[in-house]
Amino acid sequence: MTKKIILAGVSAMLLVAVVIGAVSGVMRSTNNFKISSQEKIKIHTVSRSIESICQITDYKEACLETLNAASPDNKTADPKTIVTASIKATFTEFSQAAGKSKEISTETMDNMNKVALSDCQELLEYAVEELQDAIESSDEGDAENIRRRSKDLKNWLSAVMSYQVVCIDGLTQPELKANMTNNLGKATELTKNALAIITEITRLLESMKGALNLKNDVMGAVAGGGAAGRKLLNSDVGGRYPEWFSASDRKLLRATNVAPMRVKPNAVVAKDGSGQYKTIQHAIDAIPKDNKGRYIIYVKAGVYRENVIISKKILNVFMYGDGSRKTIVTGNKNFVDGTPTFRTATFAVMGNGFICKWMGFQNTAGPSKHQAVALRVQSDMSAFFSCRMDAYQDTLYAQTHRQFYRNCIISGTIDFIFGMSSVVIQNCLIVIRKPMDNQKNIVTASGRTYKYEDTGIIIHNCRIVPDRFLAPIRTQIKSYLGRPWKEYARTVYMESQIGDLIQPEGWMEWRGNFALRTLYYAEYNNKGPGADTSKRVHWPGYHILKTRADALKFTAGSFIEGGSWIKYSGIPSILGFKR
């Protein structure tokens, strides 16, 4: 009840601030007024709103310090200033933490921790870059821009949370782990605060659309434009797609969906020497640094034994092969042999806008080597079509950002679809393999670490089946839909066919009662013998969704804003529900 009163107060105060700010701002610009009594009301109202906004954060003192520092005279604490200030403070802390990570001595470290520390340094640089993008986005335009770009802002901040977790989880030396955790303590607090602030400000702005429209109408009228006013930034429906999707790119990608040979690639990879390159990595490394638009790589049939990395600076790559069983990238790096999970991936893609079709990715280390990733994806607005990912533990590492998989085959044993991204896996075949003796199978492990992150694993219209080795003994080995890797794990199965190998309780604990109250697991309209929910777990965080409206927010159109970018990838999709 108290929280509702606080939030109502915040909404009312910000509403007054925006409306008064709109009117008084126009008056100042047209009549050159001095600070009026109305302006004083605005100042007082916004001052109170800062304190109220901080009540919804987990680290209130840090929040007050951040926002008051951005508005020492209480004159500029409008929604845009509040959001931008929270992100800038986070950026400052991460920049400092990144610097400190480079000062840590490696003299007493084993090789795995040396590599893990190097990973930390790289990940923290990624965090700084993501925060720079968020600052640039929040700093332009007005409150309407904050509302419109809120999904992007939370996407960047959720990725920042991921980088922290991956960094610390990769360290095994207790003293080093504690040192890094301490270095990142304030940065973690501020990231969570920023996520909470953006969530609440967006909610309030959504409820205040009428006030924002009033602002535009008043400005338009004063300027002589009538009630219509100016056109809002990017107000055209469906116009917000990534800048690299030019009109020619969209036409090109649609063409590849039906006739790939009509497309002229920029580079051809072939093991037999019939292309410009014999390895995929050589083709990636040869992409011109000043390349504009989409870069197309055709990988001919063959087994490519290499570990491929597409760095964060390499954007807009479209790669396609001759089929997921013909064009195969394979490797065997693994945790047991001394490689941190983050580095075991056979194929890792970080550059935004990556699209891949008709290729296979394998990690052949085997179940005894534990974590061994076939495909790791950090690329925002990335999409995979008719691809195959095969390994055992940790097959598909959907690490960060918005991702979409369609008509793919994903196989494994333990946590074989995992990560901290916002990912929709649609119309795919999910194959559970035979594990080692005394092991259990778990399909998913969501790494969502905070309640305001827009992340989670969505399995939509898929089939969950055993492979041919597990099938005869599928009732003797326990298999589960998922377990909570992190405290706010979120996984939803919708309209999928679930085989009888899944245990009646459906879901498995990670460790005792850990996360059972804070996770969000849900099922909606699934079918098959393993879809019976009558004996499912009774955890506070488990839900059976009753209506389409409840489930709609987890569809590709809503959860990853698929309507604004998937259609430009040339990949078919169901943005809502088929029927």
Side-chain angles (χ1 to χ4, degrees), residues 544-566:
I544 299 172
L545 303 180
K546 301 294 186 182
T547 67
R548 287 167 64 92
D550 292 334
L552 193 62
K553 61 185 176 182
F554 299 112
T555 58
S558 178
F559 194 68
I560 55 174
E561 298 181 288
S564 67
W565 63 276
I566 295 175

Side-chain angles (χ1 to χ4, degrees), residues 6 13-14 34 42 54 86 138 187 200 213 237 254 336 342 380 387 389 396 483 506 546-547 558 560:
I6 291 172
M13 287 182 284
L14 281 180
K34 294 181 179 180
K42 174 191 171 188
C54 287
S86 68
S138 66
E200 184 58 19
N213 289 336
V237 177
R254 289 193 186 100
V336 170
F342 179 71
D380 192 19
C387 290
M389 305 97 191
L396 172 59
R483 61 174 179 166
K546 301 294 186 182
T547 67
S558 178
I560 55 174

Side-chain angles (χ1 to χ4, degrees), residues 123-405:
L123 289 161
L124 295 183
E125 289 298 330
Y126 291 157
V128 170
E129 290 175 13
E130 303 275 1
L131 289 165
Q132 285 177 324
D133 289 339
I135 289 170
E136 289 176 11
S137 180
S138 66
D139 219 8
E140 63 184 25
D142 52 14
E144 169 61 12
N145 179 62
I146 295 294
R147 185 192 68 78
R148 185 178 59 83
R149 298 300 300 273
S150 62
K151 282 275 191 180
D152 291 329
L153 295 173
K154 293 184 71 175
N155 172 54
W156 285 315
L157 286 165
S158 295
V160 168
M161 288 291 295
S162 164
Y163 300 142
Q164 301 172 63
V165 172
V166 175
C167 164
I168 293 171
D169 281 1
L171 303 170
T172 59
Q173 191 178 85
E175 185 178 347
L176 175 60
K177 196 182 193 79
N179 187 11
M180 187 62 70
T181 301
N182 183 60
N183 284 348
L184 287 170
K186 184 69 176 291
T188 302
E189 291 180 5
L190 292 180
T191 309
K192 289 182 176 180
N193 277 359
L195 280 163
I197 287 168
I198 292 168
T199 301
E200 184 58 19
I201 289 291
T202 303
R203 189 189 71 80
L204 296 176
L205 291 175
E206 288 287 353
S207 70
M208 292 157 55
K209 280 183 181 179
L212 292 171
N213 289 336
L214 171 62
K215 174 182 176 181
N216 294 322
D217 291 345
V218 171
M219 292 180 71
V222 171
R230 63 181 176 84
K231 186 178 181 181
L232 292 176
L233 183 66
N234 266 5
S235 61
D236 53 315
V237 177
R240 197 194 66 73
Y241 54 83
E243 61 183 9
W244 55 82
F245 285 112
S246 67
S248 59
D249 285 339
R250 298 198 297 273
K251 182 177 180 181
L252 176 151
L253 290 167
R254 289 193 186 100
T256 66
N257 198 40
V258 293
M261 297 317 296
R262 292 181 187 172
V263 176
K264 183 178 180 180
N266 299 95
V268 177
V269 181
K271 287 190 69 69
D272 61 8
S274 59
Q276 294 108 307
Y277 307 97
K278 289 188 175 182
T279 72
I280 299 170
Q281 191 64 58
H282 283 159
I284 294 294
D285 294 342
I287 296 176
K289 292 182 180 179
D290 59 350
N291 179 68
K292 303 295 182 183
R294 187 154 296 280
Y295 194 87
I296 307 164
I297 299 175
Y298 168 39
V299 186
K300 289 188 175 182
V303 178
Y304 296 83
R305 303 185 187 279
E306 55 178 312
N307 289 88
V308 178
I309 298 176
I310 301 178
S311 74
K312 203 170 189 299
K313 294 181 180 180
I314 300 176
L315 309 176
N316 322 326
V317 171
F318 169 41
M319 185 178 293
Y320 68 96
D322 284 324
S324 64
R325 290 185 177 275
K326 294 180 178 180
T327 300
I328 299 170
V329 192
T330 185
N332 60 6
K333 287 186 177 181
N334 62 85
F335 184 82
V336 170
D337 289 344
T339 302
T341 304
F342 179 71
R343 291 292 177 194
T344 63
T346 299
F347 194 101
V349 54
M350 288 158 275
N352 291 344
F354 182 77
I355 296 171
C356 186
K357 299 182 180 181
W358 308 297
M359 290 183 65
F361 308 95
Q362 297 178 349
N363 191 310
T364 59
S368 65
K369 298 296 185 177
H370 301 305
Q371 295 95 327
V373 177
L375 175 66
R376 176 171 68 85
V377 182
Q378 187 181 320
S379 168
D380 192 19
M381 296 187 183
S382 55
F384 293 77
F385 177 72
S386 289
C387 290
R388 185 177 182 112
M389 305 97 191
D390 293 310
Y392 287 86
Q393 184 171 347
D394 292 2
T395 303
L396 172 59
Y397 191 174
Q399 186 186 349
T400 57
H401 296 304
R402 291 161 287 200
Q403 305 180 21
F404 182 68
Y405 298 78

